[in-house]
Amino acid sequence: PLPDEDEIRKRLTLGQAVDNPLTLGQYLTEWLTTKADLAGGTQMSYQMHIRVHLIPHLGKIRLDKLRVSHVRGLVDAIETQNTKIEADNLRRAALKVELGQAIETGDADQARRIRARIKALGAPRRITGPSSVKRIRATLSSALSDAVAQMLIPVNPAKLIRLSGGRRPRGLVWTQPRVAAWRKTGKKPSPVMIWTIEQTIAFLHTTHGHPFAIAYHLMAFTGMRRGETAGLHWHDVDLDAGELTVTCQLAQIGWQTKLTAPKSEDSYRTIAIAQPMVELLRAHRAKQERNRTAMGQAWPDTNLVFTHPDGRRLHPAQLTYEFYKLVREHDLPPIRLHDLRHGTATHALTAGIDIKLVQDLLGHTTSSFTRDTYMSVADEARRTAADTLAAIFHHRDHPAGNATHEPRDGDAPAPQAA
């Protein structure tokens, strides 16, 4: 077809190429090569978004022909794919129930047929949730913003589409009613759950003697991230002064690990550590020194605080795996390892610590982010604590349960029932 006259005039006015046959797929592939200086995790996310979603759905479209409708089509395609994934996963679960019944009744032929149907469905897959869709759009928008800066396109269509959903899940405290409901149904009320102080203490007691016990204590006491804990060096710890400094993290990139800068500029921070934590770290360092002496020249000199007994550095995923294992073994209500950090913030705010200090402790960019993320949970924790204390006092005042004690001389008259 003949080129559009108005489009040519606009491109000439803007100093753009009159004809640019570059496809979005070609542009995104080239754009990735300019992002080699990004953090490994961010670069991997960009690669995954481009390879799995953007190129398969939009890659053949010419860069200068990309429109908002195309981006909307990508979102619709992901939602359609999610519907199929959910249906397949439900069907797979139903077939597994049927398989169990066939095995129980001894029907080998039926079991064989059901196994074939399960295999045909393929491995279970996860849906691409609203938050992931927003991140995919953000990757596309970042790439297209660079294209606008290079005058390859006049506008960024990814910025012009509005997406719904994708809010951060609200953290909830593991109150007694929630724990009871979880034990009955096996379902977590929210993806982000926070232990009470008592539950956190119970977990720390269960870790006694575990190789990662001191790491878990440090994370619970300070709110340090997993990568910051795994990447902590002894030269950044001053036990005499009772403080440590976060200067790097051991990042997991795919399955590989790499020492990188902290998550953000505000993640560089100095953290005061209380005397009990100082003593734990002193004992940990003494044990590590004994292991170093026993290993001799075979000991790798990483200077990391947390290592394997033979000096090898930890993989961050091992901290997570052992954490979940301990939680299951001791029948504690489930949380993610990162939720220890949420617990630190919540309990600090519940105790009345100034929100600016909590922001500095966690390495957040703004106190408003800290407030928006944790204040509602802290308020709930305060109410839970108040209710717990009221129940304790009521129980002690009336040891027989709801029955009242016999009045004694000098007692105030009992209130009349409403």
Side-chain angles (χ1 to χ4, degrees):
L2 292 173
D4 181 83
E5 183 180 346
D6 292 335
E7 179 69 18
I8 290 176
R9 184 179 294 110
K10 181 173 67 176
R11 291 185 187 182
L12 288 171
T13 302
L14 294 173
Q16 297 173 337
V18 173
D19 186 42
N20 183 8
L22 188 68
T23 66
L24 180 62
Q26 292 169 331
Y27 171 73
L28 290 174
T29 302
E30 293 177 8
W31 177 77
L32 263 182
T33 63
T34 69
K35 300 299 174 182
D37 58 337
L38 289 175
T42 303
Q43 193 176 63
M44 179 165 283
S45 293
Y46 281 176
Q47 290 172 353
M48 189 272 289
H49 294 161
I50 290 170
R51 175 176 53 83
V52 176
H53 298 285
L54 297 176
I55 287 182
H57 288 100
L58 305 174
K60 294 182 179 179
I61 300 172
R62 273 180 46 158
L63 176 62
D64 57 351
K65 297 294 184 182
L66 187 68
R67 299 292 182 264
V68 173
S69 59
H70 295 130
V71 183
R72 170 52 64 186
L74 165 67
V75 175
D76 292 343
I78 292 174
E79 291 175 353
T80 300
Q81 187 179 48
N82 283 343
T83 301
K84 183 179 185 306
I85 290 173
E86 288 176 330
D88 286 347
N89 289 344
L90 287 172
R91 182 59 182 153
R92 188 181 294 102
L95 286 171
K96 286 184 177 180
V97 173
E98 294 180 20
L99 177 61
Q101 294 171 344
I103 293 173
E104 188 175 343
T105 59
D107 192 339
D109 289 339
Q110 178 69 354
R112 178 176 49 78
R113 287 191 291 268
I114 294 174
R115 285 194 180 97
R117 292 163 66 185
I118 293 174
K119 184 177 180 180
L121 287 172
R125 293 186 293 166
R126 296 174 60 183
I127 66 169
T128 304
S131 295
S132 296
V133 172
K134 284 191 171 183
R135 287 192 288 271
I136 294 165
R137 193 273 301 269
T139 297
L140 177 61
S141 181
S142 178
L144 294 180
S145 291
D146 286 353
V148 172
Q150 297 172 49
M151 292 189 176
L152 297 175
I153 53 176
V155 295
N156 181 347
K159 282 187 175 181
L160 304 178
I161 184 171
R162 307 188 75 176
L163 299 176
S164 59
R167 294 181 179 178
R168 291 196 308 271
R170 181 172 178 262
L172 297 175
V173 178
W174 270 120
T175 59
Q176 290 183 359
R178 287 177 182 144
V179 173
W182 164 71
R183 294 196 185 282
K184 185 176 180 180
T185 65
K187 294 181 179 179
K188 290 171 59 176
S190 170
V192 179
M193 296 302 299
I194 297 167
W195 278 336
T196 63
I197 286 286
E198 294 77 13
Q199 291 161 348
T200 305
I201 292 172
F203 168 74
L204 295 179
H205 282 169
T206 66
T207 65
H208 180 71
H210 190 279
F212 302 158
I214 310 305
Y216 295 139
H217 275 73
L218 187 63
M219 294 174 75
F221 286 10
T222 65
M224 288 174 64
R225 299 178 178 91
R226 182 185 73 168
E228 294 170 347
T229 305
L232 182 64
H233 290 73
W234 281 116
H235 58 246
D236 288 324
V237 180
D238 188 340
L239 295 180
D240 294 331
E243 64 182 29
L244 61 85
T245 305
V246 176
T247 63
C248 66
Q249 64 173 336
L250 184 59
Q252 180 178 337
I253 305 168
W255 186 249
Q256 301 299 314
T257 61
K258 182 180 180 182
L259 283 169
T260 68
K263 183 178 180 182
S264 68
E265 190 64 29
D266 294 283
S267 297
Y268 288 92
R269 62 198 187 278
T270 298
I271 299 174
I273 46 179
Q275 193 59 32
M277 191 69 240
V278 169
E279 295 307 318
L280 287 173
L281 286 169
R282 285 191 193 280
H284 174 71
R285 185 167 63 180
K287 182 178 180 180
Q288 193 181 66
E289 285 299 322
R290 291 194 296 271
N291 290 338
R292 179 201 296 270
T293 301
M295 290 284 295
Q297 294 297 321
W299 179 273
D301 192 14
T302 64
N303 198 36
L304 289 169
V305 174
F306 302 110
T307 64
H308 288 286
D310 61 1
R312 290 178 298 117
R313 72 184 187 186
L314 301 177
H315 193 294
Q318 291 173 301
L319 286 172
T320 302
Y321 173 79
E322 290 296 327
F323 176 80
Y324 288 147
K325 185 178 175 182
L326 286 165
V327 171
R328 287 194 304 270
E329 286 178 353
H330 296 279
D331 198 29
L332 290 164
I335 67 169
R336 305 169 306 161
L337 178 57
H338 192 71
D339 292 336
L340 279 181
R341 174 176 165 85
H342 295 320
T344 304
T346 299
H347 300 317
L349 292 172
T350 303
I353 296 175
D354 184 78
I355 197 162
K356 177 63 178 174
L357 294 176
V358 178
Q359 173 205 339
D360 293 341
L361 175 67
L362 299 180
H364 286 160
T365 303
T366 63
S367 58
S368 61
F369 176 85
T370 309
R371 182 183 299 105
D372 293 345
T373 305
Y374 296 114
M375 279 306 297
S376 62
V377 189
D379 290 341
E380 180 185 11
R382 289 190 186 96
R383 290 192 295 271
T384 300
D387 291 343
T388 301
L389 285 173
I392 291 171
F393 289 134
H394 178 77
H395 179 73
R396 290 181 177 177
D397 190 38
H398 306 300
N402 291 328
T404 58
H405 63 275
E406 292 295 325
R408 298 186 298 272
D409 291 342
D411 279 352
Q416 299 296 316

Coordinates of all heavy atoms in Angstrom, one line a residue, residues 12-54:
L12 N 8.8 13.4 8.9 CA 9.7 14.4 8.4 C 9.9 15.6 9.3 O 11.0 16.1 9.6 CB 9.3 14.9 7.0 CG 9.5 13.8 5.8 CD1 8.8 14.4 4.6 CD2 11.0 13.5 5.6
T13 N 8.8 16.0 9.9 CA 8.8 17.1 10.8 C 9.6 16.8 12.1 O 10.3 17.6 12.6 CB 7.3 17.5 11.2 OG1 6.6 17.9 10.0 CG2 7.3 18.7 12.2
L14 N 9.4 15.5 12.5 CA 10.1 15.1 13.8 C 11.5 14.6 13.5 O 12.2 14.2 14.4 CB 9.3 14.0 14.4 CG 7.9 14.3 15.0 CD1 7.2 13.1 15.5 CD2 8.0 15.3 16.1
G15 N 11.9 14.6 12.2 CA 13.3 14.1 11.9 C 13.4 12.6 12.0 O 14.5 12.1 12.2
Q16 N 12.3 11.9 11.9 CA 12.3 10.4 11.9 C 12.5 9.8 10.5 O 12.2 10.5 9.5 CB 11.0 9.9 12.6 CG 10.8 10.3 14.0 CD 9.5 9.9 14.5 OE1 8.6 9.7 13.7 NE2 9.4 9.8 15.8
A17 N 12.9 8.6 10.5 CA 13.0 7.9 9.2 C 11.7 7.7 8.6 O 10.7 7.4 9.2 CB 13.7 6.5 9.4
V18 N 11.6 8.0 7.3 CA 10.3 7.9 6.6 C 9.8 6.5 6.5 O 8.7 6.2 6.7 CB 10.5 8.5 5.1 CG1 9.2 8.2 4.4 CG2 10.8 10.0 5.2
D19 N 10.7 5.5 6.4 CA 10.4 4.1 6.3 C 11.3 3.3 7.3 O 12.5 3.3 7.1 CB 10.4 3.6 4.9 CG 9.9 2.1 4.8 OD1 8.9 1.9 5.5 OD2 10.5 1.3 4.2
N20 N 10.7 2.7 8.3 CA 11.5 2.0 9.2 C 10.9 0.6 9.4 O 9.9 0.4 10.1 CB 11.5 2.7 10.6 CG 12.4 2.0 11.6 OD1 13.1 1.0 11.3 ND2 12.4 2.4 12.8
P21 N 11.5 -0.4 8.7 CA 10.9 -1.8 8.7 C 11.2 -2.6 9.9 O 10.9 -3.8 10.0 CB 11.5 -2.4 7.4 CG 12.9 -1.8 7.3 CD 12.7 -0.3 7.8
L22 N 11.9 -2.0 10.9 CA 12.3 -2.7 12.1 C 11.1 -3.2 12.9 O 10.1 -2.5 13.2 CB 13.1 -1.7 13.0 CG 13.8 -2.3 14.3 CD1 14.9 -3.3 13.8 CD2 14.3 -1.2 15.2
T23 N 11.1 -4.5 13.2 CA 10.0 -5.1 13.9 C 10.2 -4.9 15.4 O 11.3 -4.7 15.9 CB 9.8 -6.6 13.7 OG1 11.0 -7.3 14.2 CG2 9.6 -6.9 12.2
L24 N 9.1 -5.0 16.2 CA 9.3 -4.9 17.7 C 10.2 -6.0 18.2 O 11.0 -5.7 19.1 CB 7.9 -5.0 18.4 CG 7.9 -4.9 19.9 CD1 8.5 -3.5 20.3 CD2 6.6 -5.1 20.5
G25 N 10.1 -7.2 17.7 CA 11.0 -8.3 18.1 C 12.4 -8.0 17.9 O 13.3 -8.2 18.8
Q26 N 12.8 -7.4 16.7 CA 14.1 -7.1 16.4 C 14.6 -5.9 17.3 O 15.7 -6.0 17.8 CB 14.3 -6.6 15.0 CG 14.0 -7.8 14.0 CD 13.9 -7.2 12.5 OE1 13.4 -6.1 12.3 NE2 14.3 -8.1 11.6
Y27 N 13.7 -5.0 17.5 CA 14.1 -3.8 18.4 C 14.4 -4.3 19.8 O 15.4 -3.9 20.5 CB 13.0 -2.8 18.4 CG 13.3 -1.7 19.4 CD1 14.3 -0.8 19.2 CD2 12.5 -1.7 20.6 CE1 14.6 0.2 20.2 CE2 12.8 -0.7 21.6 CZ 13.8 0.2 21.3 OH 14.1 1.2 22.3
L28 N 13.5 -5.1 20.4 CA 13.6 -5.6 21.8 C 14.9 -6.4 21.9 O 15.6 -6.3 23.0 CB 12.4 -6.4 22.2 CG 11.1 -5.7 22.4 CD1 9.9 -6.6 22.6 CD2 11.2 -4.6 23.5
T29 N 15.2 -7.2 20.9 CA 16.4 -8.0 21.0 C 17.7 -7.1 21.1 O 18.6 -7.3 21.8 CB 16.5 -9.0 19.8 OG1 15.4 -9.8 19.8 CG2 17.8 -9.9 19.9
E30 N 17.7 -6.1 20.2 CA 18.8 -5.1 20.2 C 18.8 -4.3 21.5 O 19.9 -4.0 22.1 CB 18.7 -4.2 19.0 CG 18.9 -4.9 17.7 CD 18.7 -3.9 16.5 OE1 18.6 -2.7 16.8 OE2 18.7 -4.4 15.3
W31 N 17.6 -3.9 22.0 CA 17.5 -3.1 23.2 C 18.1 -3.8 24.4 O 18.8 -3.2 25.3 CB 16.1 -2.8 23.4 CG 15.8 -2.0 24.7 CD1 16.0 -0.7 24.9 CD2 15.2 -2.5 25.9 NE1 15.6 -0.3 26.1 CE2 15.1 -1.4 26.8 CE3 14.8 -3.7 26.3 CZ2 14.6 -1.5 28.1 CZ3 14.3 -3.9 27.6 CH2 14.2 -2.8 28.5
L32 N 17.9 -5.2 24.5 CA 18.4 -5.9 25.6 C 19.9 -5.8 25.7 O 20.5 -5.8 26.8 CB 18.0 -7.4 25.5 CG 16.8 -7.9 26.3 CD1 16.6 -9.4 26.1 CD2 16.9 -7.6 27.8
T33 N 20.6 -5.8 24.6 CA 22.1 -5.7 24.6 C 22.6 -4.4 25.2 O 23.7 -4.4 25.6 CB 22.6 -5.9 23.1 OG1 22.2 -4.8 22.3 CG2 22.1 -7.2 22.5
T34 N 21.7 -3.4 25.2 CA 22.2 -2.1 25.8 C 21.9 -2.1 27.3 O 22.3 -1.1 28.0 CB 21.4 -0.9 25.2 OG1 20.0 -1.0 25.6 CG2 21.5 -1.0 23.7
K35 N 21.4 -3.2 27.9 CA 21.1 -3.2 29.3 C 22.0 -4.1 30.1 O 21.6 -4.7 31.1 CB 19.6 -3.6 29.5 CG 18.6 -2.7 28.8 CD 18.7 -1.3 29.4 CE 17.8 -0.3 28.6 NZ 17.9 1.1 29.2
A36 N 23.2 -4.3 29.6 CA 24.1 -5.2 30.3 C 24.5 -4.8 31.6 O 25.0 -5.6 32.5 CB 25.3 -5.5 29.4
D37 N 24.4 -3.5 31.9 CA 24.8 -3.0 33.2 C 23.7 -3.0 34.3 O 24.0 -2.6 35.5 CB 25.3 -1.5 33.1 CG 24.2 -0.6 32.6 OD1 23.2 -1.1 31.9 OD2 24.2 0.6 32.8
L38 N 22.6 -3.6 34.0 CA 21.5 -3.7 35.0 C 21.8 -4.8 36.0 O 22.6 -5.7 35.7 CB 20.2 -4.0 34.3 CG 19.5 -2.9 33.5 CD1 18.3 -3.5 32.7 CD2 19.1 -1.8 34.4
A39 N 21.2 -4.8 37.1 CA 21.3 -5.8 38.1 C 20.9 -7.1 37.5 O 20.0 -7.2 36.6 CB 20.5 -5.5 39.4
G40 N 21.5 -8.2 37.9 CA 21.3 -9.5 37.2 C 19.8 -9.9 37.3 O 19.3 -10.5 36.3
G41 N 19.1 -9.7 38.4 CA 17.7 -10.1 38.6 C 16.8 -9.3 37.6 O 15.9 -9.9 37.0
T42 N 17.1 -8.0 37.5 CA 16.3 -7.2 36.6 C 16.5 -7.6 35.2 O 15.6 -7.7 34.4 CB 16.7 -5.7 36.8 OG1 16.5 -5.3 38.2 CG2 15.9 -4.8 35.9
Q43 N 17.8 -7.8 34.8 CA 18.1 -8.2 33.4 C 17.4 -9.6 33.1 O 16.9 -9.7 32.0 CB 19.6 -8.3 33.2 CG 20.0 -8.5 31.8 CD 21.5 -8.5 31.7 OE1 22.2 -9.4 32.1 NE2 22.1 -7.4 31.0
M44 N 17.4 -10.5 34.0 CA 16.8 -11.8 33.8 C 15.2 -11.6 33.6 O 14.6 -12.3 32.8 CB 17.0 -12.7 34.9 CG 16.4 -14.1 34.8 SD 17.1 -15.3 35.9 CE 18.6 -15.7 35.0
S45 N 14.6 -10.7 34.4 CA 13.2 -10.4 34.3 C 12.9 -9.9 32.9 O 11.9 -10.3 32.2 CB 12.7 -9.5 35.3 OG 12.8 -10.0 36.6
Y46 N 13.7 -8.9 32.4 CA 13.5 -8.3 31.1 C 13.6 -9.4 30.0 O 12.8 -9.5 29.1 CB 14.6 -7.3 30.8 CG 14.4 -5.9 31.4 CD1 15.3 -4.9 31.3 CD2 13.2 -5.7 32.2 CE1 15.1 -3.7 31.9 CE2 13.0 -4.4 32.7 CZ 13.9 -3.4 32.6 OH 13.7 -2.2 33.2
Q47 N 14.6 -10.3 30.2 CA 14.8 -11.4 29.2 C 13.6 -12.3 29.1 O 13.1 -12.7 28.1 CB 16.1 -12.2 29.5 CG 17.4 -11.4 29.3 CD 18.6 -12.2 29.8 OE1 18.5 -13.2 30.4 NE2 19.8 -11.6 29.5
M48 N 13.1 -12.7 30.3 CA 12.0 -13.6 30.4 C 10.7 -12.9 29.8 O 10.0 -13.5 29.1 CB 11.7 -14.0 31.9 CG 10.7 -15.1 32.0 SD 9.0 -14.5 32.2 CE 9.1 -13.7 33.8
H49 N 10.4 -11.7 30.2 CA 9.3 -11.0 29.7 C 9.3 -10.9 28.1 O 8.3 -11.1 27.5 CB 9.2 -9.6 30.2 CG 9.0 -9.5 31.7 ND1 9.2 -8.4 32.5 CD2 8.5 -10.5 32.6 CE1 9.0 -8.7 33.7 NE2 8.5 -9.9 33.8
I50 N 10.5 -10.6 27.6 CA 10.6 -10.5 26.1 C 10.5 -11.8 25.4 O 9.8 -11.9 24.4 CB 12.0 -9.8 25.8 CG1 11.9 -8.3 26.2 CG2 12.3 -9.9 24.3 CD1 13.2 -7.6 26.2
R51 N 11.2 -12.8 26.0 CA 11.2 -14.1 25.3 C 9.8 -14.9 25.4 O 9.4 -15.4 24.5 CB 12.3 -15.0 26.0 CG 12.3 -16.4 25.5 CD 13.5 -17.2 26.1 NE 13.5 -17.1 27.6 CZ 12.8 -17.9 28.3 NH1 12.0 -18.8 27.8 NH2 12.8 -17.8 29.7
V52 N 9.2 -14.8 26.6 CA 8.0 -15.6 26.9 C 6.7 -14.9 26.4 O 5.8 -15.5 25.9 CB 7.9 -15.9 28.4 CG1 6.6 -16.7 28.7 CG2 9.1 -16.8 28.8
H53 N 6.7 -13.5 26.5 CA 5.4 -12.8 26.3 C 5.5 -11.9 25.1 O 4.6 -11.9 24.2 CB 5.0 -12.1 27.5 CG 4.7 -13.0 28.7 ND1 3.6 -13.8 28.8 CD2 5.5 -13.3 29.8 CE1 3.6 -14.5 29.9 NE2 4.7 -14.2 30.5
L54 N 6.5 -11.0 25.1 CA 6.4 -9.8 24.2 C 6.7 -10.3 22.7 O 6.0 -9.9 21.8 CB 7.4 -8.8 24.6 CG 7.1 -8.1 26.0 CD1 8.2 -7.1 26.4 CD2 5.7 -7.4 25.9

